Amino acid sequence: MGFTDGLRNPAVVIAFSGWNDAGNAASDLLQHLMNAYPGTDAGIIDDERYWDYQQTRPMLHRTADGAWVEWPALRLRAVHHPDRDIIVVLGPEPNLLWRQFSMELVGKIKKIEPEIVIFVGAMLSDTPHTRPLPVGVYTNDPAVEKKFAMDANDYTGPTGMIGVASQLMLHERVPAASLWVSVPHYVSAPPNPKAQNALLTELEGVLGLQLNRAELASEAEQWTIAVDQLSQQDPDIAEYIGQLEEARDSEEVEGATGDTIAAELEKFLRRQGEDSGP
């Protein structure tokens, strides 16, 4: 009997630490989900050919029972939320053999037959920490775009494993999307609970359920206060943040046209209708 037997309307959530994960926001969020609910191990991808250990170092741990080495790997865990099962997939972005790695990953995901696969990422950007951090959810799949009221992904350019694996999901007819948060580039050191909280809010909408936030909201507020205090100690940084705030506020005003407001309202109503069921 495999772990896929008896899964309740499973969804898959994937994060890669490294290039796709500014402030560790994505990987920390998935770790938060694994800590918040009971779960069972659901597999591993640990072929040592995928990682360059000089770039992605093994971790040495010490406990009362002795020392042990944790090798880089992608680990799958079934998180048992009261309303549905979430397969959390977490690990470092591979350094080598990306095509083979992504095919192995997609092969494991196909066996789960998920309703949706969500790749979670975080990117550095010119966004001020004092405003809500921008979050977007995108898909290459027209069927997913229609069902979940998502934006079409029109990005072209350098990509990471999220972009590679998302494209392969499309070819293999696995419904997939990517969820991204913008992290202020001037405060990129982890942890970033505000970015985690923003991702969690959007993830709740996509998955159609309420997720345990534990202390995440209060930690996000404390993080903002701490960054405020640090930035006020340097007039140049405070002035720069003020410029970012002005730019962000003017963008929001300019973007609030009748068409964009109507589009956002339509997306909201479509999601509400899907959550209510037949």
Side-chain angles (χ1 to χ4, degrees):
M1 183 175 179
F3 86 93
T4 59
D5 296 330
L7 289 176
R8 300 162 303 136
N9 188 25
V12 176
V13 184
I14 303 173
F16 299 102
S17 59
W19 189 80
N20 307 274
D21 193 17
N24 291 359
S27 54
D28 283 349
L29 173 62
L30 267 60
Q31 190 64 56
H32 167 80
L33 293 178
M34 289 191 289
N35 294 338
Y37 299 100
T40 53
D41 291 337
I44 189 171
I45 298 177
D46 63 348
D47 191 327
E48 65 179 0
R49 293 175 299 170
Y50 294 144
W51 286 279
D52 178 350
Y53 294 149
Q54 291 183 324
Q55 299 294 323
T56 306
R57 294 282 180 172
M59 294 295 294
L60 179 63
H61 299 276
R62 294 189 184 278
T63 65
D65 297 328
W68 59 283
V69 174
E70 180 184 5
W71 296 95
L74 196 71
R75 292 175 170 84
L76 291 75
R77 185 167 178 82
V79 170
H80 304 305
H81 185 278
D83 297 330
R84 71 187 303 181
D85 291 317
I86 305 170
I87 311 302
V88 172
V89 184
L90 178 60
E93 184 180 59
N95 305 109
L96 305 165
L97 299 177
W98 276 26
R99 284 182 286 186
Q100 183 174 322
F101 175 90
S102 57
M103 287 188 290
E104 183 173 351
L105 172 62
V106 173
K108 287 183 178 293
I109 299 304
K110 287 183 71 173
K111 295 178 181 177
I112 299 169
E113 298 182 352
E115 181 197 25
I116 185 70
V117 177
I118 303 293
F119 292 92
V120 184
M123 69 184 87
L124 297 177
S125 69
D126 293 329
T127 189
H129 73 279
T130 52
R131 299 293 187 268
L133 300 183
V135 180
V137 58
Y138 312 95
T139 182
N140 300 320
D141 189 329
V144 173
E145 178 185 348
K146 181 178 180 181
K147 180 177 179 180
F148 292 91
M150 294 178 180
D151 295 324
N153 185 2
D154 58 0
Y155 172 78
T156 59
T159 190
M161 179 49 62
I162 287 180
V164 172
S166 295
Q167 196 64 31
L168 184 58
M169 294 277 185
L170 177 64
H171 293 324
E172 294 295 320
R173 299 182 179 180
V174 178
S178 58
L179 170 61
W180 291 89
V181 64
S182 294
V183 173
H185 68 87
Y186 57 86
V187 57
S188 59
N192 192 320
K194 185 169 184 174
Q196 295 175 50
N197 202 42
L199 286 170
L200 188 63
T201 297
E202 189 69 27
L203 188 61
E204 286 180 326
V206 176
L207 299 181
L209 46 75
Q210 186 173 352
L211 296 167
N212 185 343
R213 292 180 185 270
E215 303 300 322
L216 204 52
S218 61
E219 290 173 0
E221 184 176 353
Q222 293 168 9
W223 178 88
T224 301
I225 293 172
V227 178
D228 282 340
Q229 294 173 342
L230 287 173
S231 63
Q232 290 167 6
Q233 296 175 12
D234 189 319
D236 292 336
I237 294 178
E239 180 182 1
Y240 175 67
I241 293 174
Q243 294 171 354
L244 292 180
E245 291 171 337
E246 291 179 6
R248 173 72 182 277
D249 294 343
S250 64
E251 286 175 4
E252 290 181 351
V253 171
E254 292 172 359
T257 65
D259 289 342
T260 57
I261 292 173
E264 288 301 313
L265 179 60
E266 182 182 9
K267 284 173 61 177
F268 173 78
L269 293 175
R270 285 167 63 186
R271 279 184 179 166
Q272 290 296 103
E274 289 161 3
D275 291 345
S276 63

